[in-house]
């Protein structure tokens, strides 16, 4: 079976020791990477879960409001339900942009140092 995947790399990497992992984990650079990731991802996750739970609670306890017609047969429940999909895609897009700009370069620098590349 033919694939378009390139052959495996012939490069060998130095496997870090447990002490090296611990040293990197306790470093200021790794701490800053972890802090910046958490300060972005955790509030975004909490916000999205709150938004989702609001939708669920409104669906269960505010049926009259959710059944309010917006245009034709389109009601508030449908609009908010579609907004759930939209916000999911927007959050994924935003995360990928922030990760590529902020998290990935720092993580790659740490990784290359751990593997003996720097």
């Amino acid at each position: 079976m033919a694939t378009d995947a390139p052959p495996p790399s012939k490069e060998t990497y130095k496997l870090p020791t447990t002490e090296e992992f611990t040293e990197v984990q306790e470093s200021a650079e790794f701490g800053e990477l972890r802090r910046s990731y958490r300060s972005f991802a955790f509030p975004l996750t909490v916000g999205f879960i709150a938004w989702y739970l609001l939708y669920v609670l409104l669906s269960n306890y505010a049926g009259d409001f959710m059944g309010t017609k917006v245009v034709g047969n389109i009601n508030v429940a449908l609009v908010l339900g579609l907004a759930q999909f939209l916000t999911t895609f927007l959050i994924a897009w935003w995360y990928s942009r922030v990760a590529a700009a902020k998290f990935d370069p720092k993580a790659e620098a740490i990784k290359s140092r751990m593997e003996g590349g720097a």
Side-chain angles (χ1 to χ4, degrees), residues 14-67:
K14 174 185 88 67
L15 293 176
T17 65
T18 304
E19 292 79 20
E20 290 171 324
F21 273 113
T22 304
E23 182 181 322
V24 167
Q25 184 179 11
E26 294 171 352
S27 71
E29 183 182 22
F30 186 78
E32 174 57 32
L33 174 61
R34 187 173 46 219
R35 250 186 316 283
S36 64
Y37 171 76
R38 287 179 177 172
S39 68
F40 179 78
F42 286 178
L44 199 59
T45 302
V46 169
F48 184 77
I49 290 172
W51 159 232
Y52 175 74
L53 289 176
L54 173 69
Y55 176 74
V56 171
L57 291 172
L58 286 173
S59 295
N60 282 320
Y61 300 110
D64 291 339
F65 170 69
M66 295 296 269

Side-chain angles (χ1 to χ4, degrees), residues 109 112-113 115-118:
S112 66
R113 241 188 349 272
E115 292 176 342

Side-chain angles (χ1 to χ4, degrees), residues 53-105:
L53 289 176
L54 173 69
Y55 176 74
V56 171
L57 291 172
L58 286 173
S59 295
N60 282 320
Y61 300 110
D64 291 339
F65 170 69
M66 295 296 269
T68 303
K69 301 277 185 189
V70 176
V71 176
N73 287 330
I74 298 174
N75 61 16
V76 172
L78 179 62
V79 171
L80 293 180
L82 292 174
Q84 290 284 319
F85 286 102
L86 178 64
T87 55
T88 300
F89 289 114
L90 287 175
I91 288 170
W93 171 79
W94 188 24
Y95 175 80
S96 69
R97 303 238 341 174
V98 170
K102 286 178 63 176
F103 310 139
D104 292 349

